[in-house]
Amino acid sequence: MIHESETAPPAASELVATLADEGVTHLFINPGTDTAPVQEALAAARVAGTPHPRSILCTHEFIALSAAMGHYFATGEPQAVMVHVDAGTLNLGGAIHNAQRNRLPVVVFAGRTPYSTSPDVPGHRDTFIHWPQEQPDQQGVMRGFVKWTMEVPRGRELGTIVRRAYQVARSTPTGPAYVTLPREALMEPGSRAPAARLLTPRPAAPDPSGLADLAAILADARRPVIVTARTGADPAAVGALVTVAELLGAPVIDQKHRLNFPPRHRLYAGADTTPLRTADAVLLLDTEVPWVPALEGPPADAAIVQIDIDCVKATMPTWTYPVDVALNADTALALPLLAEELRGLATPEREARWASRREEAAAAMAELHLAWEALGGSSEPHAAADAMLHALNKALPPEAVVLEEAVTNKPAVARQIVREPGQHFETGSPALGWGVAGALGVKLGRPDAPVVTITGDGSFNFGVPTAALWTARNAGAPFVSVILNNQEYRASRLPVQALFPGGSAVEGRDFPETVLSPAPDYARLAEAFDGHGEVVERPDDLPAALGRALEAQADGRCAVIDARLPSGG
């Protein structure tokens, strides 16, 4: 009899091979004492030339997971992140919340303190830190944010568990999984035969009768409106959405977590929610927060219909929007079917009404677009962000990919930055800092494209920029950061003004907890990592500065443009 250990490769080697077979091209890793077997397996695979993901050393875990999300946005490939036990898991911080809300199909692998203290067991505890870093439930901190968690108990089980993790992560609605790896298990023999890949179910198509009901409501509506946030996650869906909007003559409110609708289309409302106020039917597509009820919304008697891969939003306990027809479906599959359903309902009377509405909505949107253009050319302080972004947009090469994390200046980005489907990414999720690290992930996924991230100064700092710039330089994934620098946490100042309009802070203009002045020298920060940096104070100077920044990127170096806005603006 041949003993299993004589034929089976080490479990860590099986892990590396399985990741490659699952289509993982990059492993974003922040190593620790427990990842040594994986590091050795990666080195062995590089020497042998066997399939393995490229390892990207990230000097902070938030960077690792945020870069993985950017890489997924750019490529659609499954992702892998590896961190060090409980400490590395906790350092993922808000990035795991972002991954949850963006349904990132990533498996986060975390080391687990060795169980054994016996020197006879390979991988046993051999350092002081192995005791204090152990927690009774390391997986517990992740359970609220991932679809599935598991620990690898023995080396021979590793392959099957990794396959299962990717099956769960890739099934719709997609999302993160978490696997812990005791060092002893990684050093044990794996399985003699590679574990087979597990089938990923195909995305859901809409229920036919429900689609008919939804189409009938829209066909007979007199003032339909469409609200979307992430339909453009599949760029192929954008064309189908355009068809539906044009058939109905419905303005499209685009929250623009991806590019969902052509920004200069005659039915594009961008972030302007005015059409909601008079809508009698609203179609929700892939949106988490269609409107904020305390601030705005459609009339109470408006019909609300929804197509989303997850209509119920069970991870948002108080998601209680009143929906009349809800279809759990992939919008890339559902929208072409909805267009056909609407065409089948077309009568001369309906077509006349749709055409009239189309012209009426287009006229209203044309006025809106003219107002945006005026803001972009204004020299008034209140339009400073629009003017800066208008200049940026004119200078961006058509092939550039834009990431956006501008927070309170997000509406200005929506008004001024024009990209094609698949060239604009934003998360729409709560943890700031993604825009910097996400850019290096996008650049790894699209190495030939210029990559530009637009952030506020607060979100730039949240992104651990020292770690992001070092990682990008080391990985050969340079990007350009444009910081809209108003020297404050404006998103934290505005609620104080809104909730306490006659309070001490407003009366005394006293908001010290939100002031980021004096500002750091962001340009010199870029230079510290062999990058290019400069300050821009006038929109007219931005195109030339962007040109120099893109030259640095083409030369393999990151660049930072510190675009100064009026303080408090």
Side-chain angles (χ1 to χ4, degrees), residues 270-558:
D272 188 282
T273 56
T274 303
L276 271 179
R277 299 171 191 167
T278 57
D280 64 345
V282 182
L283 171 60
L284 309 181
L285 299 173
D286 305 304
T287 177
E288 309 287 80
V289 184
W291 58 83
V292 178
L295 302 179
E296 60 195 355
D301 59 353
I304 311 300
V305 296
Q306 178 188 26
I307 306 175
D308 197 308
I309 201 66
D310 176 20
C311 288
V312 173
K313 318 288 184 189
T315 61
M316 299 181 188
T318 55
W319 200 97
T320 53
Y321 288 89
V323 176
D324 296 287
V325 179
L327 300 180
N328 274 333
D330 184 332
T331 47
L333 298 175
L335 286 171
L337 297 175
L338 175 59
E340 286 304 309
E341 196 78 25
L342 290 169
R343 289 189 185 101
L345 294 172
T347 63
E349 179 186 0
R350 280 178 173 147
E351 287 186 321
R353 189 168 67 247
W354 295 350
S356 173
R357 190 167 58 218
R358 195 157 47 238
E359 295 308 312
E360 179 183 341
M365 294 304 101
E367 290 186 16
L368 186 63
H369 297 175
L370 286 174
W372 296 348
E373 189 71 19
L375 283 170
S378 173
S379 60
E380 295 297 319
H382 75 274
D386 279 87
M388 197 69 80
L389 290 163
H390 184 77
L392 175 66
N393 185 67
K394 290 201 302 184
L396 281 170
E399 70 275 17
V401 178
V402 170
L403 293 80
E404 182 262 305
E405 195 173 37
V407 196
T408 54
N409 282 316
K410 175 180 171 62
V413 175
R415 290 189 290 262
Q416 303 300 336
I417 300 298
V418 178
R419 295 286 89 195
E420 294 295 320
Q423 289 182 270
H424 182 108
F425 301 116
E426 197 252 330
T427 66
S429 47
L432 294 179
W434 167 84
V436 181
L440 78 93
V442 170
K443 185 63 174 176
L444 287 168
R446 298 187 187 172
D448 296 330
V451 175
V452 178
T453 184
I454 304 169
T455 72
D457 50 332
S459 51
F460 181 81
N461 283 297
F462 275 123
V464 200
T466 52
L469 291 168
W470 185 93
T471 302
R473 179 187 179 190
N474 189 57
F479 57 89
V480 176
S481 287
V482 177
I483 305 172
L484 301 177
N485 185 1
N486 56 17
Q487 300 183 51
E488 68 167 339
Y489 286 136
R490 188 178 182 217
S492 295
R493 172 174 60 82
L494 293 177
V496 179
Q497 293 174 295
L499 294 172
F500 304 97
S504 299
V506 171
E507 290 293 326
R509 297 294 299 168
D510 179 22
F511 304 97
E513 297 83 5
T514 67
V515 176
L516 297 178
S517 178
D521 191 333
Y522 296 115
R524 290 184 65 186
L525 178 64
E527 293 167 4
F529 295 91
D530 192 33
H532 170 79
E534 59 184 288
V535 175
V536 171
E537 296 185 340
R538 301 186 317 125
D540 289 347
D541 296 332
L542 197 143
L546 179 65
R548 290 186 288 271
L550 292 173
E551 286 177 7
Q553 185 179 54
D555 194 38
R557 299 182 297 134
C558 286

Side-chain angles (χ1 to χ4, degrees), residues 120-343:
D120 298 330
V121 177
H124 62 274
R125 295 189 184 193
D126 58 6
T127 185
F128 166 85
I129 202 64
H130 283 153
W131 278 264
Q133 74 185 10
E134 186 175 29
Q135 291 292 325
D137 185 11
Q138 181 177 314
Q139 298 176 51
V141 72
M142 295 287 276
R143 288 197 182 98
F145 300 92
V146 301
K147 295 178 67 178
W148 184 86
T149 70
M150 187 66 179
E151 182 167 303
V152 175
R154 298 293 304 272
R156 61 175 176 260
E157 309 299 338
L158 181 144
T160 299
I161 289 171
V162 173
R163 294 294 195 186
R164 175 64 173 156
Y166 276 101
Q167 181 189 44
V168 172
R170 296 166 93 162
S171 63
T172 53
T174 56
Y178 182 69
V179 175
T180 53
L181 303 167
R183 195 165 68 173
E184 303 102 317
L186 288 171
M187 295 186 71
E188 289 177 351
S191 56
R192 277 183 286 179
R197 186 184 297 184
L198 299 176
L199 177 71
T200 302
R202 297 186 181 187
D207 168 67
S209 63
L211 187 67
D213 292 342
L214 185 148
I217 290 171
L218 293 175
D220 287 329
R222 296 191 176 275
R223 296 174 303 281
V225 173
I226 298 171
V227 181
T228 179
R230 294 186 179 132
T231 299
D234 182 347
V238 174
L241 176 53
V242 169
T243 298
V244 169
E246 288 181 340
L247 277 170
L248 294 170
V252 176
I253 297 171
D254 188 354
Q255 297 170 344
K256 213 169 182 180
H257 301 164
R258 308 293 184 274
L259 195 147
N260 305 293
F261 202 75
R264 290 298 178 260
H265 190 280
R266 61 182 187 155
L267 294 175
Y268 179 72
D272 188 282
T273 56
T274 303
L276 271 179
R277 299 171 191 167
T278 57
D280 64 345
V282 182
L283 171 60
L284 309 181
L285 299 173
D286 305 304
T287 177
E288 309 287 80
V289 184
W291 58 83
V292 178
L295 302 179
E296 60 195 355
D301 59 353
I304 311 300
V305 296
Q306 178 188 26
I307 306 175
D308 197 308
I309 201 66
D310 176 20
C311 288
V312 173
K313 318 288 184 189
T315 61
M316 299 181 188
T318 55
W319 200 97
T320 53
Y321 288 89
V323 176
D324 296 287
V325 179
L327 300 180
N328 274 333
D330 184 332
T331 47
L333 298 175
L335 286 171
L337 297 175
L338 175 59
E340 286 304 309
E341 196 78 25
L342 290 169
R343 289 189 185 101

